Amino acid sequence: MKLPLYQPDATSATRFLFFTGKGGVGKTSISCACALRLTEAGKRVLLVSTDPASNLDEVLETTLTNVPAPIAGAPGLHALNINPIAAAAAYRERLIGPMRGLLPESALRSMEEQLSGSCTVEIAAFDEFSGLIGNAAATQVYDHVIFDTAPTGHTLRLMSLAKAWDQFLDKNTSGTSCLGPLAGLEKQRVIYEATVNTLADAKATTLVLVSRPQGAALREAERTSKELREIGVGNQCLVINGTFETECAHDVTAQALQQRGASALNAAGEFIRSMPCYIIPLRPINILGLGGLRVLLGGDAPVQSASVKVEPESWTPPEMESLESLVSTLEQQGHGVIMTMGKGGVGKTTVAAAIAVLLARRGHAVHLSTTDPAAHVAQTLHGQVPGLTLSKIDPAAETAAYQGEVMLAQGVAMDAAGRALLEEDLRSPCTEEIAVFRAFAREVGQGTQRFVVLDTAPTGHTLLLLDASAAYQRELERQARSTQPEEVLRLLERLRDPAFTHILLVTLPEATPVHEAAALQADLRRARIEPMAWVINQSLLHSGTCDPLLQSREAAEHRYLTEVVEQHAHRTAWLPWQPEEPIGPDALARLAASGEKVEL
């Protein structure tokens, strides 16, 4: 199907634009390019990231904070990051600061503990987000405010919080919640209501759904579109990033890439026709800096750029191994936990499924599970493997079970008013975080008897999950609930045991995925968790392509392959780009062995 190019128009763009979609589809690059295009048309633009794992700094090549900063070389463009952790600290201080010197230290510590949960992080980030929309004075000097939103699951929660917390304020009569004193929320109520109204106003707000010409990404965009319409965000358009056509008729890699994209677009035809839809062709470079952003929206002619940094012909691939080789090391223990982690869209699910299949086929008992809200493990596995079981941590189901457990254990001895108060508290968003955390700990605990392979969520969600231990304990203590299960008590101990837990950081041979994985590794090390190895996925190295664009992209990989091996990883596994998507046990097993093709 023939679709027009995405060319943001300064004369018709709404004041607020939101870019959202599955992790790894290019939301940050496209939102930055859109902001630059509007700025160069004479508009004043504020670009905001609400992603806990933001890479806005890298794309714009500017160090950002939560205060608007000018972008060198782009007069009129300012950008900022809403850092959820920093926002939570500031939120706590706004509530607690006025009490210092008035209340005893024990009371202040109690308030700080009460405001340490993941709920506080989320409401604090939303507090800043809504301030940029619902408070007209905050952004009055800008013609447009563009939001580079987080991966879809976080975005849906972020946008729905306006209504969710508005209802919570209406129904809560106790004066406190997992967020602490509700007075802190009540003060912002007018701004929250204005935010809801602005999101639903088609003349003020446009939602840009970003996808790739891939089945999973398009399905995620369709689901997001439906859910956002249900909360009133109806002015939507779709941008499909990375479309590809080749003139190399006998190039297996190029033809497969073109056919795979065409098939995905045809399958999603009804959804694509349901709204304005645009494309951005695959580009030969990593999109970094203002020059790269201009290339991204540079029209439909082939783009050649000095930004392509080709290594000398003498460049030799660094020492890498196959995924199968890593599995041979992993299986020596006979049991334990294997976790795939990294930026959204890098192939964590595929790598986790390949490892699980290989271990099961070697005679081990294996359980494959996911904590990813956008899980598609079952589609990747696409078949049964003897010795391999499969599960998904379903947030809704886990929350309902946890609520029932607490009501049964604690509510029996309460009067009607007490039960009502407990039910009210259990409806808070923090309850879901606790329930999912318990389920995660339960899955990790199974590693004492067999192999547990965990396909984890994108980086931001994963860090919140791993960071929840102290907050989880404080939340249970606050509500005087049941004692913690043994697997929860031992979770951090197990995650820090390199003989029990093996972390594999999955990345693509590109700047942003590599650098985000490096940042994740640093965070894990601060938590005293040491990754075992890195897995570089979907590499065009040795593809033998004759397509000029793909040749440029292969050359651009060299520096990142070298960087991973020489600067970041103890061990590195390499997986080549596959002409056919690795779906099913046999294809996954072949993928795991394919890294042996690297010529060292």
Side-chain angles (χ1 to χ4, degrees):
M1 65 181 69
K2 187 67 175 176
L3 296 170
L5 290 167
Y6 181 58
Q7 299 285 320
D9 183 2
T11 62
S12 61
T14 56
R15 184 157 190 266
F16 297 101
L17 295 102
F18 293 83
F19 289 79
T20 188
K22 190 177 187 294
V25 295
K27 297 184 297 294
T28 298
S29 298
I30 296 172
S31 61
C32 289
C34 176
L36 182 62
R37 177 64 63 91
L38 294 177
T39 299
E40 292 179 338
K43 301 295 184 179
R44 297 163 299 173
V45 180
L46 177 63
L47 178 60
V48 182
S49 173
T50 64
D51 192 337
S54 171
N55 62 309
L56 201 60
D57 300 52
E58 182 165 35
V59 174
L60 293 175
E61 298 180 328
T62 304
T63 300
L64 300 174
T65 66
N66 63 344
V67 177
I71 305 303
L77 177 58
H78 290 74
L80 66 86
N81 275 326
I82 293 179
N83 183 310
I85 305 302
Y91 179 80
R92 282 193 297 271
E93 186 57 31
R94 283 202 305 275
L95 293 180
I96 297 172
M99 307 293 182
R100 298 189 190 281
L102 300 177
L103 294 178
E105 281 299 315
S106 59
L108 294 175
R109 283 196 300 271
S110 177
M111 291 178 66
E112 288 175 349
E113 288 178 356
Q114 191 176 7
L115 290 166
S116 294
S118 56
C119 245
T120 302
V121 173
E122 188 151 329
I123 195 63
F126 178 73
D127 201 49
E128 294 207 9
F129 162 83
S130 61
L132 296 171
I133 300 175
N135 182 2
T139 58
Q140 63 183 353
V141 300
Y142 299 104
D143 300 304
H144 300 280
V145 183
I146 297 177
F147 290 89
D148 166 31
T149 62
T152 308
H154 178 78
T155 301
L156 290 173
R157 297 181 64 191
L158 189 65
M159 288 188 167
S160 65
L161 269 176
K163 288 186 176 179
W165 284 111
D166 196 54
Q167 294 166 4
F168 191 70
L169 288 171
D170 281 333
K171 296 176 181 177
N172 191 293
T173 58
S174 66
T176 65
S177 74
C178 62
L179 299 177
L182 286 178
L185 296 178
E186 186 66 43
K187 292 175 182 177
Q188 297 291 93
R189 187 167 188 162
V190 173
I191 291 178
Y192 292 170
E193 290 173 349
T195 300
V196 174
N197 293 334
T198 301
L199 291 174
D201 184 355
K203 294 181 179 179
T205 300
T206 302
L207 180 86
V208 183
L209 295 155
V210 182
S211 182
R212 292 272 185 182
Q214 299 165 352
L218 286 163
R219 287 191 295 271
E220 184 77 0
E222 184 172 7
R223 184 183 70 83
T224 302
S225 173
K226 180 181 177 181
E227 294 192 24
L228 288 174
R229 288 185 191 280
E230 289 174 352
I231 62 171
V233 185
N235 185 23
Q236 303 179 3
C237 69
L238 176 65
V239 175
I240 302 172
N241 183 32
T243 59
F244 175 74
E245 294 182 3
T246 184
E247 296 181 0
C248 297
H250 303 292
D251 186 327
V252 174
T253 298
Q255 287 293 326
L257 182 59
Q258 176 176 309
Q259 182 55 45
R260 191 183 293 181
S263 298
L265 296 180
N266 288 334
E270 184 177 349
F271 169 55
I272 290 171
R273 290 187 292 271
S274 71
M275 67 181 72
C277 183
Y278 309 92
I279 62 168
I280 297 176
L282 184 67
R283 298 307 188 188
I285 64 170
N286 285 303
I287 305 302
L288 296 175
L290 300 185
L293 293 172
R294 292 186 180 100
V295 167
L296 183 63
L297 300 184
D300 57 354
V303 180
Q304 300 299 325
S305 171
S307 298
V308 181
K309 296 181 180 180
V310 180
E311 299 293 331
E313 291 185 5
S314 60
W315 180 83
T316 302
E319 185 173 347
M320 300 178 287
E321 59 188 296
S322 67
L323 189 61
E324 189 174 41
S325 173
L326 277 182
V327 171
S328 296
T329 300
L330 291 168
E331 71 174 335
Q332 293 175 8
Q333 190 74 13
H335 64 88
V337 173
I338 301 160
M339 295 174 62
T340 56
M341 302 177 70
K343 180 178 169 63
V346 297
K348 297 185 299 293
T349 297
T350 298
V351 172
I355 291 170
V357 166
L358 230 59
L359 286 170
R361 286 188 166 183
R362 293 183 178 188
H364 299 284
V366 183
H367 182 68
L368 174 60
S369 181
T370 182
T371 63
D372 192 336
H376 56 282
V377 172
Q379 296 96 313
T380 301
L381 198 58
H382 196 65
Q384 294 185 342
V385 178
L388 174 60
T389 57
L390 184 64
S391 71
K392 179 180 78 170
I393 295 176
D394 184 320
E398 295 294 342
T399 301
Y402 176 65
Q403 289 169 333
E405 176 187 324
V406 172
M407 289 303 301
L408 183 63
Q410 302 295 322
V412 171
M414 294 180 176
D415 58 18
R419 284 179 61 86
L421 181 60
L422 181 58
E423 288 174 348
E424 186 174 85
D425 205 17
L426 286 170
R427 284 194 292 268
S428 75
C430 203
T431 300
E432 180 179 307
E433 293 291 341
I434 293 171
V436 171
F437 179 78
R438 279 163 46 107
F440 173 77
R442 184 181 64 234
E443 298 287 72
V444 169
Q446 293 187 55
T448 58
Q449 305 296 324
R450 54 180 165 174
F451 283 107
V452 175
V453 183
L454 285 169
D455 165 35
T456 63
T459 307
H461 179 81
T462 299
L463 287 175
L464 288 174
L465 200 61
L466 292 178
D467 197 40
S469 180
Y472 171 85
Q473 183 175 352
R474 284 191 292 267
E475 179 67 6
L476 287 180
E477 291 172 350
R478 181 184 73 80
Q479 298 177 352
R481 296 181 182 167
S482 55
T483 57
Q484 299 181 56
E486 188 268 347
E487 59 262 25
V488 173
L489 291 170
R490 298 195 60 190
L491 178 61
L492 278 179
E493 170 196 337
R494 285 170 170 162
L495 292 178
R496 288 168 175 161
D497 181 359
F500 184 85
T501 299
H502 301 91
I503 306 289
L504 303 181
L505 297 179
V506 184
T507 187
L508 303 179
E510 301 171 10
T512 298
V514 166
H515 297 155
E516 188 161 312
L520 171 57
Q521 179 166 262
D523 287 334
L524 289 170
R525 284 173 172 168
R526 279 193 289 273
R528 289 181 286 151
I529 300 171
E530 184 64 33
M532 171 192 174
W534 285 46
V535 179
I536 300 175
N537 193 26
Q538 299 178 30
S539 171
L540 289 169
L541 183 65
H542 299 314
S543 65
T545 180
C546 68
D547 185 273
L549 187 148
L550 295 186
Q551 288 176 340
S552 293
R553 291 188 66 87
E554 178 183 340
E557 288 183 5
H558 295 177
R559 61 187 297 194
Y560 301 109
L561 295 172
T562 299
E563 179 181 335
V564 169
V565 174
E566 295 185 356
Q567 298 181 31
H568 303 307
H570 297 304
R571 296 176 65 173
T572 305
W574 173 87
L575 296 174
W577 190 88
Q578 301 290 300
E580 295 183 6
E581 290 193 62
I583 302 295
D586 290 341
L588 289 166
R590 287 195 297 272
L591 174 67
S594 62
E596 299 294 353
K597 296 177 183 177
V598 179
E599 298 172 7
L600 301 178

